[in-house]
Amino acid sequence: METTWKAKKGAAGRKAGGPRKKSVTRSVKAGLQFPVGRIGHYLKHGRYAKRVGTGAPVYLAAVLEYLAAEVLELAGNVARDNKKTRINPRHVQLIVRSDEDLGKLLDGVTLPVEVVA
């Protein structure tokens, strides 16, 4: 009498001892640099709402990444105009005060002042 032995499946549907697939983060799926998972965690545990949809952290990460890229690009241009290789808070303040939309967004924000000793 011949019995056929079937291998048990392990975690995630893999056969026992089989290779594990490389996980793909939601940031990679969305083509973003900002961490979608971490932003989702902050949304859930920050008590902003009882429930958080799956698209909310992706959208918020995309908006934050866009704003960061915009500020860094404009501040980099100001730093280059001033013949500097590094962006300092003064460059950020100059672009925030000169740009209408960023000025409206960051109206009540106090940016740190660079102190030279």
Side-chain angles (χ1 to χ4, degrees):
M1 202 176 219
E2 199 172 311
T3 58
T4 56
W5 183 77
K6 199 171 184 182
K8 284 189 176 181
K9 289 196 174 189
R14 295 180 291 125
K15 296 202 184 270
R20 174 170 276 199
K21 288 185 179 176
K22 182 98 167 100
S23 63
V24 180
T25 63
R26 288 186 287 171
S27 297
V28 170
K29 286 181 183 177
L32 298 172
Q33 298 297 315
F34 272 48
V36 173
R38 184 175 298 172
I39 291 172
H41 175 81
Y42 289 148
L43 282 175
K44 287 178 187 173
H45 296 288
R47 301 282 185 186
Y48 296 106
K50 287 184 180 178
R51 297 162 57 170
V52 177
T54 57
V58 178
Y59 193 89
L60 182 57
V63 170
L64 291 173
E65 184 173 317
Y66 168 75
L67 286 173
E70 190 74 18
V71 168
L72 285 173
E73 181 183 356
L74 293 173
N77 293 343
V78 170
R80 189 178 59 235
D81 292 344
N82 292 331
K83 296 180 177 62
K84 304 287 184 189
T85 56
R86 293 185 186 148
I87 297 171
N88 61 32
R90 176 75 179 149
H91 300 142
V92 176
Q93 178 145 14
L94 285 172
I95 63 119
V96 167
R97 301 301 170 229
S98 65
D99 190 82
E100 183 182 340
D101 294 331
L102 284 174
K104 200 182 302 181
L105 179 67
L106 303 173
D107 190 27
V109 175
T110 303
L111 294 170
V113 179
E114 193 174 291
V115 179
V116 179

